[in-house]
Amino acid sequence: MKIIKPAFAGTLESSDLQVRISPNPDGDIHIYLDSTVQKQFGRAIEKLIQEVLRSMGVSSAIVEVEDKGALDCVIKARVQAAVMRAAENNQIQWSKLS
């Protein structure tokens, strides 16, 4: 999926996160993570974000994430929603998202 415009998903409430995604003119993926649990789970969160992006076919994007202790299922859902909005894609391929 090609990221064509900036978009975001999520909130800054406790146990949630906000994902902002935008096109990257450099042609690769950059993830910037600010998390209340960064020391404990920072690498795992970044790995999950990479996996979701890969499964959705995103190869170029700038992803900014502010995490307030979200569970993996919330992280996955927020990244998916941001990608869908940024790609202006309304067709969900459920088999790729599971």
Side-chain angles (χ1 to χ4, degrees), residues 18 20 24 26 29-35 38 46 49 61-67:
Q18 187 173 76
R20 293 179 300 279
N24 186 357
D26 293 340
I29 294 176
H30 291 289
I31 298 173
Y32 301 97
L33 175 64
D34 180 21
S35 175
Q38 186 133 7
E46 287 183 23
I49 293 167
I62 297 171
V63 183
E64 299 170 83
V65 178
E66 280 191 64
D67 173 48

Side-chain angles (χ1 to χ4, degrees), residues 23-77:
N24 186 357
D26 293 340
D28 53 356
I29 294 176
H30 291 289
I31 298 173
Y32 301 97
L33 175 64
D34 180 21
S35 175
T36 57
V37 293
Q38 186 133 7
K39 287 185 181 181
Q40 299 94 331
F41 302 108
R43 285 191 196 131
I45 294 168
E46 287 183 23
K47 182 180 176 188
L48 178 58
I49 293 167
Q50 286 279 5
E51 288 172 3
V52 172
L53 294 173
R54 190 176 320 112
S55 74
M56 296 183 79
V58 176
S59 59
S60 175
I62 297 171
V63 183
E64 299 170 83
V65 178
E66 280 191 64
D67 173 48
K68 301 297 182 182
L71 298 173
D72 285 2
C73 59
V74 176
I75 296 168
K76 188 174 180 181

Side-chain angles (χ1 to χ4, degrees), residues 75-96:
I75 296 168
K76 188 174 180 181
R78 296 302 193 196
V79 173
Q80 290 168 344
V83 168
M84 297 294 288
R85 292 172 182 168
E88 291 187 336
N89 187 338
N90 295 327
Q91 301 296 334
I92 298 173
Q93 296 178 352
W94 293 107
S95 61
K96 289 187 176 185

